[in-house]
Amino acid sequence: MGQLMYMFASTATRHEKGKTCLDGMRLLADTLHPLGVPITWIMSAGSARIAKDTLCKWHEEHGDAVAVQVPTLSGDFEEKKAAIAGERDAIAEALPWAELTVAAGHQDFEIPALLEDLGFDGLWGFCWEQIEVDQITDRGSPWGCYFMRRDQRLAPAGQRGVVAMEWTARDLLKSYHSGNPCLYSTDPNDVARGGLCSWEEIGYWKDMADNYLRNTRYNEHVFLLQHQEAHEMERSDLCKCYTPEDIREAAVMLDGFVRHIKDRAVFLTLPQAARLYRDTYAHAASSYMLWEDSPTPPYNPDYSWSTPTGPWPRTFLFHDCRAQLIFIEGKVEPVCIRNYGREWRSGEYFAEPMIPRARLVHNTRFGWRREIVIDVESPSAMPYGMALWGDYSLYQLDDCPGLLEGKMMSRELLFLRYDVVEGTNRFTIHLQGK
């Protein structure tokens, strides 16, 4: 059994005329600190100088941490690197105790190399399946945490690098099938405006958390990162987008969500999570996520126009260093293959345009053994996988030529990860009874 690793981050970069969003920061601290949650505050140099006394107190009493907001970047590689280093140094001057190993601001195409050269461990801000919202298009990237390739921030790496970290965790099933991941997220304002949760009525959020918790069966670590902007937790000259009632509602929702998971999760700051990932894995770790659909109230169409509601079938999602594969219940071949050997292009997002079909040759039992033979006709070489849905818990994998990775997901499915070549591929799976 693995562990659910929960992190909470808050952007607190805004400042004007010597003021920053301290009221919003205090409300988040008053909500989460009593539950044992350390907060990672994403700071600019200006907001860090204003909030330094408060941040120092919270660090000493609750273990709060700080991440560096990357400034607007321009110029060549060395000029960008100098700008990031200058911001980090300015924050360190205000907060000399801070472990400034995580940055925020992930959209520059050179950002993995910039941060790696500067010695950062992690980069916060990725939005799984998102297109264009807040000028962020990250569709194609993995969920959770992964090492970024130095030359492509959205692709996982086959070696250690800077750890990519989500902006805020999403409902993987609804995000993929609906095409609207921003509605089905752990951001309190998104689900409140969308009509999915309100005040103490957070059944949908609890179901989402339970999906993450269930998948600790299949993974050493499952990462769930939640975020809320500090300026959105106050009504002031720095932010007037929410009413006082909206702000109180968000605090109540966050309180209820953390209470639901607190006895079953490990609480970490972003620097701690990045260090854990780097210490544990030599390359981007494979992730197995079997997701159940959750009922939700009808969403508010004024907030999320043109979003299908489902219900959708159980969905299995997998990624390793070379591919992301998505399966729906009952279908052996994936419905989506994101091939990280392909170039990322808008509208494609690493996706293979033609997914090879799997054809059963035979599925034969020999006493306490089983042999399954499957043919796959592929138009080209690519990463591939198959999900054999059903209860295979009486067996264990035996000789399976060509198998790169396999997992018995007890009583749910058998997952088989292969590569295919152009033309006919025959796979023979031998299962041995326990």
Side-chain angles (χ1 to χ4, degrees), residues 69-97:
Q69 178 63 55
V70 172
T72 302
L73 299 178
S74 61
D76 63 19
F77 186 85
E78 292 302 321
E79 290 172 319
K80 293 177 183 178
K81 192 161 70 171
I84 298 171
E87 190 76 2
R88 179 178 61 182
D89 292 347
I91 295 174
E93 185 177 353
L95 306 169
W97 49 265

Side-chain angles (χ1 to χ4, degrees), residues 232-283:
E232 293 185 348
M233 295 299 286
E234 67 176 37
R235 188 168 178 85
S236 67
D237 290 340
L238 293 173
C239 186
K240 293 183 178 178
C241 57
Y242 294 111
T243 66
E245 183 177 288
D246 295 330
I247 293 165
R248 290 195 300 272
E249 180 185 46
V252 169
M253 290 167 58
L254 290 171
D255 176 89
F257 183 81
V258 174
R259 288 182 186 278
H260 182 70
I261 66 169
K262 68 184 297 289
D263 294 330
R264 298 175 289 170
V266 177
F267 295 161
L268 298 175
T269 64
L270 299 194
Q272 288 171 335
R275 187 165 59 249
L276 169 71
Y277 195 92
R278 289 177 61 87
D279 289 347
T280 305
Y281 302 107
H283 51 74

Side-chain angles (χ1 to χ4, degrees), residues 103-119:
H106 71 294
Q107 295 178 71
D108 190 290
F109 73 96
E110 294 183 303
I111 197 69
L114 290 164
L115 296 183
E116 187 171 24
D117 286 1
L118 288 167

Side-chain angles (χ1 to χ4, degrees), residues 126-131 137-143 146 152-156 176 181 318-326 336-351:
F126 288 82
C127 301
W128 189 70
E129 284 297 293
Q130 186 163 307
I131 297 176
T137 297
D138 287 346
R139 180 164 291 180
S141 68
W143 55 87
Y146 62 95
Q152 173 52 266
R153 65 185 179 87
L154 300 180
Y176 173 73
F318 167 84
H319 78 74
D320 60 15
C321 298
R322 297 185 53 238
Q324 183 179 148
L325 308 173
I326 300 175
C336 178
I337 299 175
R338 302 201 189 279
N339 179 358
Y340 293 119
R342 295 172 63 89
E343 183 180 351
W344 188 96
R345 294 187 180 94
S346 180
E348 296 181 6
Y349 317 111
F350 303 119

Side-chain angles (χ1 to χ4, degrees), residues 39 46 50 52 61 109 111-112 117 132 155 208 219 222 242 305 332 334 336 356 364 366 368 400 406:
I39 300 172
I50 297 166
K52 63 180 181 180
E61 295 179 359
F109 73 96
I111 197 69
D117 286 1
E132 294 181 352
M208 191 194 310
N219 300 276
V222 173
Y242 294 111
W305 185 74
V332 171
C336 178
T364 307
F366 301 94
W368 205 227
C400 301

